[in-house]
């Protein structure tokens, strides 16, 4: 059976909840209060943040849960303003990202192993749409790949990154791509054998750095390593032999290891700290800003770690785990009467 690479579109999945929870840190920080959290309209899913105008990029869904548009939710007016629709009416918006200058998104069919994807970018200033890249494997070649082929986008400072499969010299490769939207320049950062048991996944960019994991199947289990690319000097460095789904903001990098550990690495000090130790809880997809880190888990508990104080706070709500930090906004989906309500608070900077 094919194994799916973890991508941002996992927000479409529903994770089962239990009432069991194990504390991972006895330093619980109680300063934040989510009782007065704001609600994002029910038919939208937060995907990114415009740091210039302080608004949330959202996918706007129709009654069939199809992402039919992308728009911005204004934090001041509480109004959603649609911005772009899919260019191809027969495709769905799979994932999207923004840096406040551009919006980039992937259009594809609902088959994650298909290679019919297209990446577009919208210039917020002049309103133009540009086709950036597309899937180049034919149906026969795509059927040979064991992992998800749809790109997962990350965007910062007009630079877009993703990983997917390409054909070069008649060979199928899994590649990490960097695209400079301002200069219309594409660069392949790294490529590995696309028919092996490894893949390049979950790339994230911030400033001059890109992080990603390289996952590998060993004896029916998946292991991963964390890598860092320095854009100015074009150097790749391995920073961990054990990790998945890294994320980066400022000088901090965070990732998950052994399904339940959360690890923080500082680019300046080179220090690695295990901020949450392993236990019975599975954790995924950490996100962060200069001060805070959050992640998903399989217990439906919203947790927030303060980098500066070294303290952990959990909140007394049930969620379906879709928590995320985007800029200075913390979003999550609260479960109430078996329905999901997307909420947010503004974090102090």
């Amino acid at each position: 059976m094919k194994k799916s690479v973890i991508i941002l579109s996992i927000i479409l999945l529903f994770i089962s909840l239990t009432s069991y929870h194990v504390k991972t840190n006895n330093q619980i920080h109680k300063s934040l209060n989510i009782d007065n959290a704001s609600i994002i309209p029910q038919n939208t899913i937060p995907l990114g943040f415009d740091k210039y105008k302080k608004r949330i990029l959202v996918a706007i869904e129709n009654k069939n849960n199809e992402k039919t548009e992308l728009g911005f939710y204004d934090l001041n007016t509480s109004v959603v303003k649609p911005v772009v629709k899919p260019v191809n009416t027969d495709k769905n918006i799979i994932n999207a990202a923004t840096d406040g200058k551009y919006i980039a998104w992937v259009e594809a069919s609902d088959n994650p192993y298909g290679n019919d994807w297209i990446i577009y970018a919208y210039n917020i200033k002049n309103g133009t749409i540009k086709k950036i890249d597309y899937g180049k494997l034919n149906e026969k070649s795509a059927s040979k790949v064991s992992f998800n082929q749809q790109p997962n986008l990350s965007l910062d400072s007009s630079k877009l990154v993703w990983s997917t499969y390409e054909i070069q010299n008649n060979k199928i490769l899994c590649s990490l791509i960097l695209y400079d939207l301002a200069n219309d320049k594409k660069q392949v950062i790294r490529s590995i054998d696309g028919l092996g048991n490894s893949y390049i996944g979950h790339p994230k960019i911030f400033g001059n750095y890109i992080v990603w994991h390289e996952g590998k199947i060993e004896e029916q289990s998946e292991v991963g390593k964390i890598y860092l690319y320095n854009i100015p000097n074009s150097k790749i460095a391995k920073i961990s032999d054990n990790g998945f789904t890294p994320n980066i903001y400022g000088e901090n990098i965070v990732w998950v290891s052994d399904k339940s550990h959360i690890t923080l690495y500082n680019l300046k000090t080179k220090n690695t700290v295990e901020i949450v130790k392993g236990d019975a809880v599975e954790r995924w997809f950490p996100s962060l800003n200069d001060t805070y880190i959050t992640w998903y888990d399989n217990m439906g508990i919203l947790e927030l770690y303060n980098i500066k104080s070294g303290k952990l706070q959990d909140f007394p709500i049930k969620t379906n785990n879709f928590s995320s930090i985007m800029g200075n906004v913390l979003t999550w989906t609260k479960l109430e009467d078996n329905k999901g309500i997307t909420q947010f608070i503004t974090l102090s900077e």
Side-chain angles (χ1 to χ4, degrees), residues 83-133:
V83 177
V84 292
K85 293 183 178 182
V87 176
N88 305 279
T89 57
D90 60 335
K91 298 185 186 298
N92 195 16
I93 295 176
I94 302 301
N95 65 77
T98 188
D99 62 353
K101 296 180 180 179
Y102 294 89
I103 302 172
W105 69 95
V106 178
E107 294 181 16
S109 68
D110 292 331
N111 177 16
Y113 297 102
N115 201 57
D116 62 343
W117 55 266
I118 304 173
I119 298 175
Y120 293 97
Y122 172 80
N123 187 314
I124 294 175
K125 184 176 181 179
N126 61 31
T128 59
I129 295 177
K130 179 188 297 184
K131 183 177 179 180
I132 302 300
D133 207 355

Side-chain angles (χ1 to χ4, degrees), residues 327-338:
N328 67 332
V329 173
L330 169 66
T331 70
W332 66 92
T333 302
K334 178 182 178 180
L335 286 180
E336 191 172 277
D337 298 327
N338 295 320

Side-chain angles (χ1 to χ4, degrees), residues 81-183:
K81 180 180 179 181
V83 177
V84 292
K85 293 183 178 182
V87 176
N88 305 279
T89 57
D90 60 335
K91 298 185 186 298
N92 195 16
I93 295 176
I94 302 301
N95 65 77
T98 188
D99 62 353
K101 296 180 180 179
Y102 294 89
I103 302 172
W105 69 95
V106 178
E107 294 181 16
S109 68
D110 292 331
N111 177 16
Y113 297 102
N115 201 57
D116 62 343
W117 55 266
I118 304 173
I119 298 175
Y120 293 97
Y122 172 80
N123 187 314
I124 294 175
K125 184 176 181 179
N126 61 31
T128 59
I129 295 177
K130 179 188 297 184
K131 183 177 179 180
I132 302 300
D133 207 355
Y134 62 95
K136 300 178 181 66
L137 301 188
N138 57 35
E139 186 175 347
K140 181 178 180 180
S141 297
S143 68
K144 298 178 181 179
V145 175
S146 300
F147 299 98
N148 194 309
Q149 296 166 50
Q150 294 173 347
N152 180 16
L153 305 180
S154 181
L155 175 59
D156 185 64
S157 302
S158 304
K159 292 181 174 62
L160 180 68
V161 296
W162 69 92
S163 62
T164 191
Y165 291 82
E166 297 194 324
I167 291 182
Q168 295 182 19
N169 299 322
N170 296 319
K171 292 184 178 180
I172 298 177
L173 302 175
C174 184
S175 298
L176 174 66
I177 311 297
L178 170 63
Y179 194 101
D180 189 326
L181 294 171
N183 298 311

Side-chain angles (χ1 to χ4, degrees), residues 222-282:
E222 191 172 13
V223 295
K225 298 179 180 180
I226 306 296
Y227 290 85
L228 174 72
Y229 179 74
N230 186 314
I231 297 175
N233 64 26
S234 302
K235 291 184 178 180
I236 294 176
K238 183 175 66 176
I239 58 176
S240 176
D241 284 315
N242 184 5
F244 285 95
T245 61
N247 213 328
I248 181 171
Y249 193 97
E251 63 187 42
N252 291 309
I253 300 172
V254 63
W255 63 84
V256 178
S257 57
D258 296 324
K259 295 184 179 181
S260 61
H261 301 245
I262 302 291
T263 302
L264 178 65
Y265 175 82
N266 188 278
L267 285 168
K268 289 186 177 180
T269 65
K270 310 299 181 184
N271 288 336
T272 301
V273 178
E274 190 175 67
I275 63 175
V276 178
K277 299 183 182 298
D279 50 31
V281 180
E282 290 190 13

